[in-house]
Amino acid sequence: MTSLAELLLESTENAADEPFLVPPDASALTYADVWERAGAIAGALHGRGARPGDRVVIQVDKSVDNVALYLACVLSGLVFTPVNPVATTAELDYVIDDADPAVVVTDRPTETEIDRPVLTFDSGAAVLADDTERRFHRVDRDPTDLAALLYTSGTTGTPKGAMLTNANLVANARALVDAWSWRDDDVLIHGLPLFHVHGLFVALHCAMLGGSPVILLPRFDAEAVLAAMPAATVFMGVPTHYVRLLADPGLDSRRCGSMRLFTSGSAPMTETVHAAFTQRTGHRIVERYGMTETGILTSNPYSGECVPGTVGFALNGVELRITDDDGADVSAGTTGSVEVNGPNVFAGYWQRPDATAESTRQDGWFVTGDVGRLEPDGRLRLEGRSGDMVISGGENIYPREIELILDQIEGIAESAVIGLPDEDLGERVVAVLVADGESPAEAAIRATLGDRLARFKHPRALVWVDELPRNTMGKVQKHRLRDQLS
Ligand code: MLC
Ligand code: AMP
């Protein structure tokens, strides 16, 4: 079985002198250039003591060197452990404590002491000038060896590292290239962050398997995407990206003339957005469904009918089933828990056998936490999530993580964090609070949140109520709060 490094090196061999990373305002780097940078960065990591199997925690802004850094880890068998660039020091420290990395890579001045070797990544040039061993060559990896550790939270509010192996990433990359008929002449517009499955593995691996150029935008920006479109063939986005593209009068069928594939995922896309996009551009959006723990599971077909409201068919090698509360299979058309199996399913949560066991059936199938049903033809229709996770602009936000902080603030008796519908973000975070005596000032609450949580997780509104609605078991009825406040 091929390792991820072998797959990516072999796939890009014939494109060595072709453009790979094309920043909008700087010259392109070829595949050979990027592999060379990756080799140099791998040398710098090695110089700081990182050895195959070690974790490397990374908090850097999106850039060509961020991609090279990822490939450096792939080459040298290090476990790529990215952290959102807007994460707070407290959030970064949590990952460092949990993942126990050999090296931390950061492009910002570190406010707290990091008690392990640090590679300061203020620019790739600095790393290239590093006097450590250059031109690091590929390290052999077994299929079960870890390639990445991606942190994702859950009902407990504490993030867990999803362990993704070489075999997971290789299987998913191949299945996607096949599902979307990736072509040698494809050009990808990349406007996604580089610390999630979507921007990192789905987008980059498809492009690399095709030896394709990637127009690497520093962040999503509708105007920049539209400017890149005439030279491109593929765009991958979250629903908020499509809502923002539709809000731009520059989006029309002429602008999309060279495009062949638009995909969406990470959050549900409304049928209204699907229809508006097709009407304006003449293109369908191929909606697919995935998770950090599993990569992409299903996709609407590239050739064949795309059905809005469904996320399509299981990818090659992926098995899907729907089960009832007792874990028994239910027939097509019946709503239940979505469970999956296949070479793409992760190896469990890092040092959390309890959490791994909770989400895994005895026969090894993974319980996604999503609720849905299979159509008679095998398409999956998602109908909700079993937990109360909020997806805002394609970012998962876990209410428990915010509630734990709010509940500790003096003057707050209790809190319930919910997601309310939002045209732009899909859902926006709202905190419903019960005061304990005199309610604290909003500024004080926001200051406490500011120290602990990245800003995108902060509630957009604070709503004070006399009490939270509860069922007879004493559990807060968030659906009632959502209904009242929507
Ligand atoms: C930023 N902000 C958000 C936000 N992103 N608020 C809520 N939800 C978000 N997602 C806040 C910031 O804190 C800031 O607030 C303000 O919005 C402006 O920040 P910004 O950085 O300028 O935002 P913007 O560039 O507009 O980014 C929004 C976005 C971006 C939707 C374009 O978040 C994005 O590209 N999301 C994609 C996420 C993604 O790739 N998900 C894939 C997960 S993988 P303030 O108050 O500080 O001013 C996965 C598996 C799968 O789910 O199936 O793919
Ligand atoms: P993450 O944990 O960030 O990987 O998010 C995974 C979750 O995003 C899934 O469990 C789904 O709830 C959601 N998701 C991904 N793609 C879709 C989609 N196309 N439609 C609805 N929800 C989606």
Side-chain angles (χ1 to χ4, degrees):
M1 221 254 182
T2 319
S3 70
L4 183 62
E6 278 173 299
L7 177 70
L8 298 180
L9 283 165
E10 278 165 20
S11 306
T12 58
E13 210 169 6
N14 292 334
D17 299 323
E18 304 293 332
F20 173 20
L21 301 177
V22 188
D25 51 1
S27 41
L29 274 77
T30 63
Y31 274 95
D33 294 335
V34 178
W35 280 122
E36 185 171 336
R37 281 191 188 211
I41 296 169
L45 291 169
H46 190 262
R48 279 164 184 72
R51 297 291 176 269
D54 284 345
R55 278 77 51 218
V56 177
V57 167
I58 283 141
Q59 189 184 36
V60 299
D61 282 332
K62 184 176 176 183
S63 68
V64 291
D65 289 313
N66 187 174
V67 177
L69 178 53
Y70 167 57
L71 295 176
C73 291
V74 171
L75 272 182
S76 48
L78 297 168
V79 183
F80 188 74
T81 308
V83 173
N84 190 334
V86 301
T88 60
T89 305
E91 289 167 317
L92 173 66
D93 285 348
Y94 175 89
V95 175
I96 294 174
D97 278 351
D98 193 70
D100 188 22
V103 178
V104 176
V105 184
T106 171
D107 59 4
R108 55 213 68 210
T110 42
E111 286 157 32
T112 53
E113 286 285 303
I114 294 177
D115 61 350
R116 54 199 80 220
V118 172
L119 174 61
T120 306
F121 204 65
D122 48 358
S123 77
V127 171
L128 290 172
D130 197 287
D131 60 358
T132 52
E133 182 184 341
R134 293 285 183 93
R135 291 202 150 267
F136 201 86
H137 293 290
R138 178 176 64 76
V139 166
D140 284 338
R141 293 276 82 188
D142 285 335
T144 52
D145 285 333
L146 298 191
L149 196 57
L150 261 50
Y151 276 77
T152 165
S153 289
T155 47
T156 53
T158 47
K160 325 182 270 283
M163 299 190 285
L164 296 162
T165 65
N166 274 256
N168 293 153
L169 300 182
V170 166
N172 212 227
R174 286 184 165 145
L176 284 171
V177 161
D178 186 39
W180 294 337
S181 304
W182 203 269
R183 296 194 327 212
D184 291 351
D185 59 351
D186 272 328
V187 178
L188 172 75
I189 302 174
H190 193 302
L192 290 157
L194 280 176
F195 53 90
H196 287 310
V197 161
H198 197 166
L200 194 55
F201 305 138
V202 180
L204 282 184
H205 290 174
C206 281
M208 292 187 78
L209 264 59
S212 313
V214 175
I215 302 175
L216 196 79
L217 305 178
R219 54 193 281 275
F220 175 82
D221 172 68
E223 261 184 49
V225 171
L226 290 171
M229 232 175 239
T233 63
V234 181
F235 175 75
M236 298 180 186
V238 300
T240 299
H241 296 170
Y242 287 98
V243 170
R244 294 187 183 181
L245 284 171
L246 278 164
D248 193 309
L251 178 76
D252 59 23
S253 58
R254 264 191 42 208
R255 171 81 48 181
C256 302
S258 62
M259 296 294 289
R260 72 165 186 93
L261 174 65
F262 289 93
T263 70
S264 175
S266 312
M269 171 161 273
T270 64
E271 297 191 23
T272 316
V273 172
H274 270 292
F277 193 84
T278 303
Q279 206 219 352
R280 183 97 78 85
T281 65
H283 285 274
R284 319 168 305 168
I285 296 172
V286 175
E287 187 169 357
R288 92 304 177 279
Y289 157 57
M291 281 191 88
T292 301
E293 290 89 338
T294 62
I296 304 307
L297 294 163
T298 70
S299 176
N300 270 281
Y302 173 64
S303 326
E305 202 190 354
C306 285
V307 179
T310 76
V311 290
F313 301 100
L315 296 184
N316 257 344
V318 176
E319 293 178 278
L320 275 184
R321 73 184 179 200
I322 308 291
T323 63
D324 63 19
D325 289 346
D326 300 324
D329 272 23
V330 297
S331 53
T334 306
T335 298
S337 153
V338 178
E339 302 187 359
V340 299
N341 191 25
N344 53 307
V345 176
F346 77 149
Y349 296 108
W350 173 253
Q351 293 184 337
R352 291 290 305 275
D354 53 333
T356 306
E358 248 171 56
S359 59
T360 311
R361 298 277 185 209
Q362 291 217 315
D363 58 4
W365 284 58
F366 176 68
V367 182
T368 61
D370 291 310
V371 173
R373 66 187 150 94
L374 288 170
E375 305 275 298
D377 63 0
R379 288 175 201 262
L380 177 66
R381 190 177 283 274
L382 291 177
E383 295 181 330
R385 296 185 290 273
S386 51
D388 58 5
M389 176 178 88
V390 177
I391 308 186
S392 178
E395 294 291 352
N396 289 2
I397 299 174
Y398 296 89
R400 196 74 204 118
E401 199 178 355
I402 307 167
E403 289 160 359
L404 284 173
I405 298 172
L406 291 172
D407 291 351
Q408 284 168 9
I409 296 177
E410 208 180 314
I412 295 181
E414 55 176 351
S415 64
V417 170
I418 55 172
L420 292 184
D422 185 278
E423 228 170 83
D424 178 46
L425 296 168
E427 288 181 292
R428 69 174 181 282
V429 175
V430 171
V432 185
L433 305 169
V434 177
D436 179 13
E438 196 178 330
S439 48
E442 178 158 340
I445 299 175
R446 294 205 173 275
T448 306
L449 289 170
D451 291 341
R452 309 271 297 274
L453 288 180
R455 283 190 62 86
F456 73 91
K457 300 178 188 170
H458 291 204
R460 295 278 167 127
L462 305 179
V463 178
W464 293 95
V465 295
D466 291 336
E467 59 179 349
L468 297 174
R470 292 185 185 276
N471 65 15
T472 47
M473 311 285 286
K475 189 170 166 10
V476 177
Q477 293 172 304
K478 291 197 171 176
H479 64 277
R480 286 184 53 196
L481 288 173
R482 278 192 291 269
D483 290 347
Q484 282 163 19
L485 295 170
S486 279

